[in-house]
Amino acid sequence: MRLLHTSDWHLGRSFHRVNMLDAQAGFIAHLVETVRVREVDAVVVSGDVYDRAVPPLAAVELFDDALHRLAEAGVPTVMISGNHDSARRLGVGAGLIDRAGIHLRTDPAACGTPVVLADAHGDVAFYGLPYLEPALVRERFGVERAGHEQVLAAAMDRVRADLADRPAGTRSVVLAHAFVTGGEASDSERDITVGGVASVPAGVFDGVDYVALGHLHGSQTLTERVRYSGSPLPYSFSEASHRKSMWLVDLGADGTVTAERVDCPVPRPLARIRGRLEDLLTGAEPARHQEAWVEATLTDPVRPAEPMARLIERFPHTLSLVFDPDRAPEEPGLSYARRLAGRSDHQVAEDFVAHVRGAAPDDRERLVLQDAFDAVRADAGVREAAP
C-alpha cells in the first residue's frame, strides 16, 4: 500500500507579515496532483491542519476545498487533530465526512479504533492518535501521572490490544502528534512541555509497522518506521535549512517500509544573513539572496540609521531585522531579546524570581511554577474545546 504522509499545514498562518494562503492553496493542489500521478492509495495528515483553534474563514474554506478534492480523487484520507487545532471543531461532521472516505480522528477515546483499508495483500489498520494534552486525558486513560509519555503509552496499549485481536498479517499505521526524542525542533512549533518534559521516546510506538508523526516542522527520520513529514511550508526563519517535503511510503505485504521524499513548492527560499550593514549592502556573497525572504542580523556596535529601508533597497523581501552588536563579553547593555533567547517561559519565570529576591527558586518552588504553567495550558485547552 502506498501512503502519502504529510502534516502541519497550519492553514491560516502567516510568515511574518506575508499572507501564506495562496502558498497553502498551491500546496493543496500539489498534494492532490501527487496523489494522482504517484498512484497513492491513502493520505495521512498528522495534525495541525489549522494554525489556531478558531481559524479565519479563508482557512476554513481552503480546508473545505481540500476535503472535496481529496474525496473526488477517490483516495482515502486519515487525519488527526494537533495541538494547534480545536479537536472538537475539527471533528464536527466527522461521521458524515467519513462516508466520503475522509476519516477525521479527533477523539482520544477512539485511539484503539482504526480505519481499516485493504489492498491486494490484506488489511492495513490506521490508528489516529490526536494530540493528547496530558492534563485533559489522564483520567480517561487511567494513568497516575499527567505526562506525555504516560498518556501516549496508554493510547498505544489500546492500539496494540486492538491489533492483537485482528487476523495475523494485518499491517498497522499510527498517526500521532507529539515531540518524540531525537527530533529536531524549530522556532515555529508551540511549546508542549508538561512537568518539565516535552518529548517521549520512540519506543512508545513499538509494535506497529509505520508511525506518521506530526508537530515538528522539519522532515526527519527517527527510525525507518518512525518519521516526521514536517510542515509543507516554512513558518519561521529557523527553517531556512529545511527541505520542505512529504513522505511517499510503500508498505510491503510483510510490513516492510520504503520511503521517498516528495518536495513541496515554496514561494521563495529563506535566507539568514549576518554582518555589519555596509558589508551586507556591498558584499558580493549576500547578493545571491536578493530574491529570498531575508532575516538580517546586524552586528554593528552602534545601531545604524534607517537599517530596514536601506536593506530593502538591496533585499526587497527582507522580513525580519535583528540587532546583535559586536561587543566585548563584559560589556553591559545586552538587549532584553538577547537575554531571553532560547529560554522557555518556565526558565524566564525562574530568572525573574532570582532577580527579585536574589536567590533562585528551590525544588519545591520550581514544581509550583511548573504546575502553574501546566494548569494555564490545560485551561486554555478546555476553553478552546468549549462550544
Side-chain angles (χ1 to χ4, degrees):
M1 183 173 287
R2 174 162 284 183
L3 317 176
L4 188 62
H5 167 199
T6 177
S7 72
D8 295 273
W9 295 357
H10 288 279
L11 300 181
R13 186 165 184 163
S14 307
F15 181 70
H16 290 262
R17 62 178 179 270
V18 177
N19 187 319
M20 295 290 277
L21 203 65
D22 286 345
Q24 291 168 341
F27 161 70
I28 296 298
H30 169 70
L31 181 148
V32 174
E33 180 67 5
T34 301
V35 166
R36 185 184 66 80
V37 172
R38 301 302 300 268
E39 299 181 335
V40 170
D41 298 307
V43 175
V44 295
V45 186
S46 300
D48 282 352
V49 173
Y50 291 123
D51 188 55
R52 55 181 187 265
V54 184
L57 178 59
V60 177
E61 290 174 340
L62 180 55
F63 180 55
D64 181 66
D65 179 62
L67 294 182
H68 278 85
R69 296 175 74 172
L70 287 167
E72 288 169 3
V75 175
T77 299
V78 185
M79 296 183 172
I80 61 172
S81 50
N83 62 304
H84 280 249
D85 300 309
S86 166
R88 287 186 63 182
R89 287 187 177 90
L90 186 64
V92 169
L96 184 61
I97 296 171
D98 196 79
R99 300 179 188 178
I102 308 293
H103 309 283
L104 288 170
R105 293 296 182 262
T106 63
D107 183 359
C111 285
T113 304
V115 175
V116 180
L117 305 177
D119 64 7
H121 305 290
D123 288 346
V124 180
F126 291 78
Y127 296 90
L129 278 56
Y131 172 66
L132 303 173
E133 176 60 52
L136 300 181
V137 301
R138 177 178 66 84
E139 292 184 2
R140 185 179 303 183
F141 284 142
V143 299
E144 294 183 3
R145 182 167 172 246
H148 289 295
E149 182 175 353
Q150 289 73 23
V151 296
L152 270 171
M156 283 301 301
D157 285 344
R158 296 187 180 191
V159 168
R160 284 184 283 263
D162 180 85
L163 195 55
D165 287 338
R166 295 191 174 274
T170 299
R171 290 158 291 163
S172 54
V173 175
V174 165
L175 291 73
H177 196 87
F179 190 164
V180 178
T181 304
E184 183 177 345
S186 67
D187 293 342
S188 51
E189 298 113 7
R190 184 182 294 171
D191 181 29
I192 59 171
T193 303
V194 171
V197 179
S199 64
V200 300
V204 165
F205 299 103
D206 285 352
V208 296
D209 293 309
Y210 184 70
V211 182
L213 293 174
H215 179 57
L216 299 184
H217 287 185
S219 178
Q220 301 171 59
T221 299
L222 303 186
T223 75
E224 287 304 306
R225 296 184 182 275
V226 182
R227 300 172 188 265
Y228 282 100
S229 69
S231 62
L233 293 165
Y235 294 113
S236 74
F237 276 102
S238 65
E239 301 171 53
S241 63
H242 288 188
R243 173 186 162 195
K244 294 302 181 183
S245 58
M246 303 176 284
W247 285 111
L248 192 68
V249 178
D250 286 323
L251 189 61
D254 58 355
T256 55
V257 171
T258 58
E260 172 191 346
R261 289 178 73 175
V262 177
D263 291 332
C264 296
V266 295
R268 292 184 184 279
L270 271 57
R272 301 179 110 172
I273 60 177
R274 179 185 179 90
R276 299 196 176 194
L277 180 58
E278 289 303 324
D279 294 336
L280 297 180
L281 295 178
T282 60
E285 197 280 333
R288 63 190 178 92
H289 301 304
Q290 288 181 320
E291 297 305 315
W293 280 325
V294 168
E295 177 186 75
T297 299
L298 300 186
T299 61
D300 302 71
V302 178
R303 184 173 300 204
E306 300 183 332
M308 180 61 93
R310 295 165 67 186
L311 281 165
I312 287 176
E313 289 182 4
R314 190 177 201 196
F315 307 102
H317 307 290
T318 302
L319 299 180
S320 176
L321 183 57
V322 180
F323 293 97
D324 187 13
D326 288 330
R327 291 175 176 150
E330 68 277 5
E331 187 172 351
L334 292 180
S335 72
Y336 183 71
R338 286 187 66 192
R339 293 200 302 272
L340 296 187
R343 303 189 68 75
S344 68
D345 290 343
H346 188 193
Q347 290 169 323
V348 172
E350 288 189 11
D351 290 347
F352 177 75
V353 172
H355 173 73
V356 169
R357 76 175 185 192
D362 59 28
D363 290 344
R364 182 186 63 81
E365 292 167 332
R366 288 191 180 94
L367 183 59
V368 169
L369 286 171
Q370 187 62 65
D371 287 345
F373 281 109
D374 291 350
V376 167
R377 187 175 56 251
D379 180 65
V382 171
R383 285 187 281 107
E384 287 182 355

mmCIF file of all heavy atoms in Angstrom, residues 223-262:
data_model
loop_
_atom_site.group_PDB
_atom_site.id
_atom_site.type_symbol
_atom_site.label_atom_id
_atom_site.label_comp_id
_atom_site.label_asym_id
_atom_site.label_seq_id
_atom_site.Cartn_x
_atom_site.Cartn_y
_atom_site.Cartn_z
ATOM 1 N N THR A 223 13.562 6.570 12.978
ATOM 2 C CA THR A 223 13.934 5.203 12.602
ATOM 3 C C THR A 223 13.301 4.971 11.234
ATOM 4 O O THR A 223 12.535 5.805 10.754
ATOM 5 C CB THR A 223 13.413 4.148 13.605
ATOM 6 O OG1 THR A 223 11.999 3.970 13.416
ATOM 7 C CG2 THR A 223 13.678 4.565 15.055
ATOM 8 N N GLU A 224 13.581 3.844 10.625
ATOM 9 C CA GLU A 224 12.990 3.572 9.315
ATOM 10 C C GLU A 224 11.469 3.491 9.389
ATOM 11 O O GLU A 224 10.786 3.691 8.381
ATOM 12 C CB GLU A 224 13.557 2.266 8.742
ATOM 13 C CG GLU A 224 14.990 2.397 8.254
ATOM 14 C CD GLU A 224 15.137 3.516 7.226
ATOM 15 O OE1 GLU A 224 14.404 3.503 6.225
ATOM 16 O OE2 GLU A 224 15.979 4.409 7.435
ATOM 17 N N ARG A 225 10.939 3.261 10.580
ATOM 18 C CA ARG A 225 9.490 3.132 10.731
ATOM 19 C C ARG A 225 8.847 4.328 11.441
ATOM 20 O O ARG A 225 7.627 4.363 11.589
ATOM 21 C CB ARG A 225 9.158 1.852 11.515
ATOM 22 C CG ARG A 225 9.570 0.584 10.789
ATOM 23 C CD ARG A 225 9.138 -0.661 11.543
ATOM 24 N NE ARG A 225 9.585 -1.871 10.854
ATOM 25 C CZ ARG A 225 8.916 -2.454 9.871
ATOM 26 N NH1 ARG A 225 7.766 -1.960 9.481
ATOM 27 N NH2 ARG A 225 9.387 -3.540 9.295
ATOM 28 N N VAL A 226 9.641 5.274 11.887
ATOM 29 C CA VAL A 226 9.125 6.425 12.635
ATOM 30 C C VAL A 226 9.659 7.700 11.991
ATOM 31 O O VAL A 226 10.862 7.962 12.031
ATOM 32 C CB VAL A 226 9.533 6.365 14.123
ATOM 33 C CG1 VAL A 226 8.945 7.551 14.888
ATOM 34 C CG2 VAL A 226 9.103 5.051 14.760
ATOM 35 N N ARG A 227 8.759 8.502 11.403
ATOM 36 C CA ARG A 227 9.189 9.667 10.643
ATOM 37 C C ARG A 227 8.271 10.873 10.893
ATOM 38 O O ARG A 227 7.079 10.715 11.129
ATOM 39 C CB ARG A 227 9.187 9.375 9.130
ATOM 40 C CG ARG A 227 10.103 8.249 8.700
ATOM 41 C CD ARG A 227 9.893 7.900 7.231
ATOM 42 N NE ARG A 227 10.619 6.704 6.856
ATOM 43 C CZ ARG A 227 11.830 6.704 6.293
ATOM 44 N NH1 ARG A 227 12.416 7.851 6.018
ATOM 45 N NH2 ARG A 227 12.443 5.575 5.989
ATOM 46 N N TYR A 228 8.879 12.046 10.801
ATOM 47 C CA TYR A 228 8.140 13.307 10.699
ATOM 48 C C TYR A 228 8.126 13.735 9.242
ATOM 49 O O TYR A 228 9.169 13.714 8.577
ATOM 50 C CB TYR A 228 8.828 14.411 11.500
ATOM 51 C CG TYR A 228 8.600 14.371 12.987
ATOM 52 C CD1 TYR A 228 9.567 13.843 13.843
ATOM 53 C CD2 TYR A 228 7.435 14.878 13.542
ATOM 54 C CE1 TYR A 228 9.377 13.822 15.216
ATOM 55 C CE2 TYR A 228 7.222 14.860 14.918
ATOM 56 C CZ TYR A 228 8.200 14.332 15.743
ATOM 57 O OH TYR A 228 7.990 14.317 17.104
ATOM 58 N N SER A 229 6.963 14.161 8.767
ATOM 59 C CA SER A 229 6.924 14.719 7.413
ATOM 60 C C SER A 229 7.392 16.169 7.416
ATOM 61 O O SER A 229 7.931 16.665 6.437
ATOM 62 C CB SER A 229 5.501 14.648 6.838
ATOM 63 O OG SER A 229 4.642 15.538 7.530
ATOM 64 N N GLY A 230 7.186 16.867 8.546
ATOM 65 C CA GLY A 230 7.474 18.289 8.600
ATOM 66 C C GLY A 230 6.365 19.103 7.953
ATOM 67 O O GLY A 230 5.456 18.569 7.301
ATOM 68 N N SER A 231 6.410 20.405 8.134
ATOM 69 C CA SER A 231 5.414 21.285 7.519
ATOM 70 C C SER A 231 5.724 21.454 6.036
ATOM 71 O O SER A 231 6.894 21.447 5.638
ATOM 72 C CB SER A 231 5.408 22.650 8.208
ATOM 73 O OG SER A 231 6.663 23.297 8.068
ATOM 74 N N PRO A 232 4.707 21.620 5.202
ATOM 75 C CA PRO A 232 4.953 21.752 3.766
ATOM 76 C C PRO A 232 5.468 23.134 3.369
ATOM 77 O O PRO A 232 5.953 23.308 2.250
ATOM 78 C CB PRO A 232 3.571 21.498 3.149
ATOM 79 C CG PRO A 232 2.600 21.898 4.214
ATOM 80 C CD PRO A 232 3.261 21.549 5.517
ATOM 81 N N LEU A 233 5.363 24.103 4.290
ATOM 82 C CA LEU A 233 5.810 25.468 4.038
ATOM 83 C C LEU A 233 6.597 25.954 5.246
ATOM 84 O O LEU A 233 6.395 25.474 6.365
ATOM 85 C CB LEU A 233 4.615 26.399 3.795
ATOM 86 C CG LEU A 233 3.809 26.149 2.521
ATOM 87 C CD1 LEU A 233 2.466 26.882 2.590
ATOM 88 C CD2 LEU A 233 4.591 26.593 1.287
ATOM 89 N N PRO A 234 7.480 26.922 5.055
ATOM 90 C CA PRO A 234 8.228 27.448 6.205
ATOM 91 C C PRO A 234 7.377 28.431 7.002
ATOM 92 O O PRO A 234 6.619 29.214 6.437
ATOM 93 C CB PRO A 234 9.413 28.164 5.543
ATOM 94 C CG PRO A 234 8.891 28.597 4.209
ATOM 95 C CD PRO A 234 7.924 27.529 3.776
ATOM 96 N N TYR A 235 7.538 28.394 8.334
ATOM 97 C CA TYR A 235 6.798 29.307 9.195
ATOM 98 C C TYR A 235 7.698 30.068 10.170
ATOM 99 O O TYR A 235 7.200 30.785 11.036
ATOM 100 C CB TYR A 235 5.701 28.551 9.940
ATOM 101 C CG TYR A 235 4.624 28.025 9.010
ATOM 102 C CD1 TYR A 235 4.437 26.657 8.800
ATOM 103 C CD2 TYR A 235 3.816 28.909 8.294
ATOM 104 C CE1 TYR A 235 3.461 26.185 7.926
ATOM 105 C CE2 TYR A 235 2.837 28.449 7.421
ATOM 106 C CZ TYR A 235 2.661 27.089 7.244
ATOM 107 O OH TYR A 235 1.701 26.627 6.360
ATOM 108 N N SER A 236 9.013 29.911 10.042
ATOM 109 C CA SER A 236 9.962 30.713 10.800
ATOM 110 C C SER A 236 11.311 30.642 10.096
ATOM 111 O O SER A 236 11.575 29.706 9.323
ATOM 112 C CB SER A 236 10.104 30.218 12.246
ATOM 113 O OG SER A 236 10.846 29.011 12.287
ATOM 114 N N PHE A 237 12.163 31.617 10.360
ATOM 115 C CA PHE A 237 13.480 31.616 9.728
ATOM 116 C C PHE A 237 14.387 30.512 10.272
ATOM 117 O O PHE A 237 15.411 30.196 9.662
ATOM 118 C CB PHE A 237 14.142 32.986 9.870
ATOM 119 C CG PHE A 237 13.701 33.964 8.814
ATOM 120 C CD1 PHE A 237 12.771 34.940 9.112
ATOM 121 C CD2 PHE A 237 14.195 33.898 7.521
ATOM 122 C CE1 PHE A 237 12.337 35.839 8.138
ATOM 123 C CE2 PHE A 237 13.774 34.780 6.540
ATOM 124 C CZ PHE A 237 12.844 35.757 6.844
ATOM 125 N N SER A 238 14.011 29.902 11.387
ATOM 126 C CA SER A 238 14.773 28.754 11.868
ATOM 127 C C SER A 238 14.645 27.566 10.924
ATOM 128 O O SER A 238 15.389 26.587 11.041
ATOM 129 C CB SER A 238 14.305 28.359 13.270
ATOM 130 O OG SER A 238 12.966 27.910 13.242
ATOM 131 N N GLU A 239 13.710 27.642 9.970
ATOM 132 C CA GLU A 239 13.519 26.579 8.984
ATOM 133 C C GLU A 239 14.250 26.863 7.675
ATOM 134 O O GLU A 239 13.977 26.219 6.658
ATOM 135 C CB GLU A 239 12.016 26.392 8.730
ATOM 136 C CG GLU A 239 11.221 26.041 9.976
ATOM 137 C CD GLU A 239 9.716 26.079 9.760
ATOM 138 O OE1 GLU A 239 9.243 25.429 8.816
ATOM 139 O OE2 GLU A 239 9.024 26.776 10.530
ATOM 140 N N ALA A 240 15.175 27.826 7.690
ATOM 141 C CA ALA A 240 15.860 28.229 6.460
ATOM 142 C C ALA A 240 16.589 27.067 5.787
ATOM 143 O O ALA A 240 16.709 27.017 4.562
ATOM 144 C CB ALA A 240 16.827 29.371 6.750
ATOM 145 N N SER A 241 17.070 26.115 6.585
ATOM 146 C CA SER A 241 17.806 24.981 6.008
ATOM 147 C C SER A 241 16.913 23.791 5.683
ATOM 148 O O SER A 241 17.394 22.779 5.171
ATOM 149 C CB SER A 241 18.908 24.535 6.978
ATOM 150 O OG SER A 241 18.334 24.062 8.194
ATOM 151 N N HIS A 242 15.611 23.902 5.950
ATOM 152 C CA HIS A 242 14.714 22.770 5.719
ATOM 153 C C HIS A 242 14.465 22.553 4.225
ATOM 154 O O HIS A 242 14.380 23.507 3.452
ATOM 155 C CB HIS A 242 13.350 23.005 6.383
ATOM 156 C CG HIS A 242 13.382 22.906 7.873
ATOM 157 N ND1 HIS A 242 12.236 22.928 8.637
ATOM 158 C CD2 HIS A 242 14.404 22.787 8.751
ATOM 159 C CE1 HIS A 242 12.549 22.838 9.918
ATOM 160 N NE2 HIS A 242 13.869 22.755 10.004
ATOM 161 N N ARG A 243 14.331 21.309 3.870
ATOM 162 C CA ARG A 243 13.808 20.926 2.562
ATOM 163 C C ARG A 243 12.364 20.498 2.785
ATOM 164 O O ARG A 243 12.098 19.459 3.398
ATOM 165 C CB ARG A 243 14.641 19.782 1.989
ATOM 166 C CG ARG A 243 14.091 19.192 0.692
ATOM 167 C CD ARG A 243 14.919 17.972 0.292
ATOM 168 N NE ARG A 243 14.233 17.139 -0.669
ATOM 169 C CZ ARG A 243 14.579 15.884 -0.973
ATOM 170 N NH1 ARG A 243 15.634 15.330 -0.374
ATOM 171 N NH2 ARG A 243 13.890 15.184 -1.868
ATOM 172 N N LYS A 244 11.418 21.313 2.337
ATOM 173 C CA LYS A 244 10.012 21.052 2.610
ATOM 174 C C LYS A 244 9.499 19.933 1.701
ATOM 175 O O LYS A 244 9.635 20.006 0.474
ATOM 176 C CB LYS A 244 9.194 22.328 2.413
ATOM 177 C CG LYS A 244 9.542 23.417 3.424
ATOM 178 C CD LYS A 244 9.335 22.925 4.855
ATOM 179 C CE LYS A 244 9.644 23.966 5.893
ATOM 180 N NZ LYS A 244 9.500 23.452 7.272
ATOM 181 N N SER A 245 8.893 18.932 2.328
ATOM 182 C CA SER A 245 8.534 17.738 1.556
ATOM 183 C C SER A 245 7.467 16.928 2.269
ATOM 184 O O SER A 245 7.066 17.239 3.396
ATOM 185 C CB SER A 245 9.779 16.866 1.338
ATOM 186 O OG SER A 245 10.351 16.483 2.580
ATOM 187 N N MET A 246 7.002 15.884 1.581
ATOM 188 C CA MET A 246 6.122 14.864 2.152
ATOM 189 C C MET A 246 6.832 13.521 1.993
ATOM 190 O O MET A 246 7.755 13.394 1.191
ATOM 191 C CB MET A 246 4.778 14.825 1.413
ATOM 192 C CG MET A 246 4.035 16.147 1.385
ATOM 193 S SD MET A 246 2.497 16.070 0.398
ATOM 194 C CE MET A 246 3.172 16.105 -1.282
ATOM 195 N N TRP A 247 6.380 12.533 2.758
ATOM 196 C CA TRP A 247 6.922 11.182 2.607
ATOM 197 C C TRP A 247 5.975 10.332 1.765
ATOM 198 O O TRP A 247 4.784 10.238 2.065
ATOM 199 C CB TRP A 247 7.104 10.507 3.962
ATOM 200 C CG TRP A 247 8.276 10.980 4.763
ATOM 201 C CD1 TRP A 247 8.253 11.692 5.916
ATOM 202 C CD2 TRP A 247 9.663 10.740 4.469
ATOM 203 N NE1 TRP A 247 9.528 11.928 6.364
ATOM 204 C CE2 TRP A 247 10.404 11.353 5.496
ATOM 205 C CE3 TRP A 247 10.339 10.086 3.431
ATOM 206 C CZ2 TRP A 247 11.798 11.322 5.531
ATOM 207 C CZ3 TRP A 247 11.730 10.055 3.466
ATOM 208 C CH2 TRP A 247 12.443 10.665 4.496
ATOM 209 N N LEU A 248 6.518 9.722 0.725
ATOM 210 C CA LEU A 248 5.800 8.726 -0.057
ATOM 211 C C LEU A 248 6.270 7.371 0.446
ATOM 212 O O LEU A 248 7.433 6.996 0.251
ATOM 213 C CB LEU A 248 6.110 8.901 -1.541
ATOM 214 C CG LEU A 248 5.237 8.123 -2.527
ATOM 215 C CD1 LEU A 248 3.808 8.657 -2.514
ATOM 216 C CD2 LEU A 248 5.816 8.209 -3.929
ATOM 217 N N VAL A 249 5.393 6.669 1.144
ATOM 218 C CA VAL A 249 5.759 5.449 1.864
ATOM 219 C C VAL A 249 5.102 4.245 1.217
ATOM 220 O O VAL A 249 3.880 4.216 1.036
ATOM 221 C CB VAL A 249 5.332 5.538 3.344
ATOM 222 C CG1 VAL A 249 5.662 4.252 4.089
ATOM 223 C CG2 VAL A 249 5.993 6.741 4.017
ATOM 224 N N ASP A 250 5.912 3.266 0.877
ATOM 225 C CA ASP A 250 5.389 1.990 0.378
ATOM 226 C C ASP A 250 5.444 0.965 1.511
ATOM 227 O O ASP A 250 6.528 0.669 2.048
ATOM 228 C CB ASP A 250 6.198 1.493 -0.819
ATOM 229 C CG ASP A 250 5.892 2.279 -2.083
ATOM 230 O OD1 ASP A 250 4.725 2.642 -2.281
ATOM 231 O OD2 ASP A 250 6.822 2.541 -2.860
ATOM 232 N N LEU A 251 4.274 0.461 1.886
ATOM 233 C CA LEU A 251 4.156 -0.533 2.947
ATOM 234 C C LEU A 251 3.990 -1.892 2.304
ATOM 235 O O LEU A 251 2.965 -2.183 1.675
ATOM 236 C CB LEU A 251 2.946 -0.189 3.830
ATOM 237 C CG LEU A 251 2.761 -0.974 5.127
ATOM 238 C CD1 LEU A 251 3.943 -0.769 6.058
ATOM 239 C CD2 LEU A 251 1.460 -0.544 5.805
ATOM 240 N N GLY A 252 5.031 -2.713 2.424
ATOM 241 C CA GLY A 252 5.047 -4.004 1.748
ATOM 242 C C GLY A 252 4.075 -5.003 2.348
ATOM 243 O O GLY A 252 3.496 -4.789 3.420
ATOM 244 N N ALA A 253 3.917 -6.126 1.654
ATOM 245 C CA ALA A 253 2.986 -7.160 2.105
ATOM 246 C C ALA A 253 3.361 -7.697 3.476
ATOM 247 O O ALA A 253 2.496 -8.117 4.257
ATOM 248 C CB ALA A 253 2.952 -8.296 1.082
ATOM 249 N N ASP A 254 4.662 -7.686 3.786
ATOM 250 C CA ASP A 254 5.131 -8.191 5.076
ATOM 251 C C ASP A 254 5.379 -7.070 6.085
ATOM 252 O O ASP A 254 5.995 -7.292 7.132
ATOM 253 C CB ASP A 254 6.410 -9.008 4.891
ATOM 254 C CG ASP A 254 7.527 -8.202 4.230
ATOM 255 O OD1 ASP A 254 7.267 -7.038 3.825
ATOM 256 O OD2 ASP A 254 8.657 -8.715 4.117
ATOM 257 N N GLY A 255 4.930 -5.855 5.771
ATOM 258 C CA GLY A 255 5.118 -4.731 6.689
ATOM 259 C C GLY A 255 6.412 -3.977 6.517
ATOM 260 O O GLY A 255 6.685 -3.043 7.270
ATOM 261 N N THR A 256 7.228 -4.362 5.531
ATOM 262 C CA THR A 256 8.458 -3.619 5.290
ATOM 263 C C THR A 256 8.113 -2.217 4.782
ATOM 264 O O THR A 256 7.082 -1.992 4.149
ATOM 265 C CB THR A 256 9.348 -4.327 4.249
ATOM 266 O OG1 THR A 256 8.576 -4.548 3.058
ATOM 267 C CG2 THR A 256 9.857 -5.642 4.787
ATOM 268 N N VAL A 257 9.018 -1.267 5.074
ATOM 269 C CA VAL A 257 8.778 0.140 4.748
ATOM 270 C C VAL A 257 9.894 0.665 3.861
ATOM 271 O O VAL A 257 11.074 0.505 4.167
ATOM 272 C CB VAL A 257 8.705 0.995 6.033
ATOM 273 C CG1 VAL A 257 8.686 2.487 5.702
ATOM 274 C CG2 VAL A 257 7.474 0.629 6.850
ATOM 275 N N THR A 258 9.507 1.276 2.747
ATOM 276 C CA THR A 258 10.445 2.071 1.950
ATOM 277 C C THR A 258 9.819 3.450 1.794
ATOM 278 O O THR A 258 8.604 3.578 1.672
ATOM 279 C CB THR A 258 10.721 1.447 0.575
ATOM 280 O OG1 THR A 258 9.473 1.296 -0.129
ATOM 281 C CG2 THR A 258 11.398 0.101 0.702
ATOM 282 N N ALA A 259 10.657 4.480 1.816
ATOM 283 C CA ALA A 259 10.125 5.846 1.821
ATOM 284 C C ALA A 259 10.939 6.738 0.896
ATOM 285 O O ALA A 259 12.159 6.592 0.774
ATOM 286 C CB ALA A 259 10.132 6.410 3.237
ATOM 287 N N GLU A 260 10.245 7.666 0.272
ATOM 288 C CA GLU A 260 10.845 8.630 -0.651
ATOM 289 C C GLU A 260 10.297 10.016 -0.337
ATOM 290 O O GLU A 260 9.099 10.169 -0.081
ATOM 291 C CB GLU A 260 10.487 8.244 -2.095
ATOM 292 C CG GLU A 260 10.882 9.256 -3.142
ATOM 293 C CD GLU A 260 10.271 8.956 -4.504
ATOM 294 O OE1 GLU A 260 9.755 7.829 -4.697
ATOM 295 O OE2 GLU A 260 10.278 9.859 -5.359
ATOM 296 N N ARG A 261 11.152 11.016 -0.359
ATOM 297 C CA ARG A 261 10.694 12.386 -0.107
ATOM 298 C C ARG A 261 10.191 13.015 -1.406
ATOM 299 O O ARG A 261 10.830 12.917 -2.452
ATOM 300 C CB ARG A 261 11.821 13.238 0.476
ATOM 301 C CG ARG A 261 12.160 12.854 1.900
ATOM 302 C CD ARG A 261 13.308 13.657 2.456
ATOM 303 N NE ARG A 261 12.929 15.037 2.752
ATOM 304 C CZ ARG A 261 13.744 15.910 3.329
ATOM 305 N NH1 ARG A 261 14.984 15.548 3.651
ATOM 306 N NH2 ARG A 261 13.343 17.140 3.578
ATOM 307 N N VAL A 262 9.039 13.658 -1.296
ATOM 308 C CA VAL A 262 8.448 14.374 -2.426
ATOM 309 C C VAL A 262 8.458 15.857 -2.069
ATOM 310 O O VAL A 262 7.818 16.281 -1.105
ATOM 311 C CB VAL A 262 7.007 13.906 -2.696
ATOM 312 C CG1 VAL A 262 6.386 14.710 -3.838
ATOM 313 C CG2 VAL A 262 6.973 12.415 -3.003
#
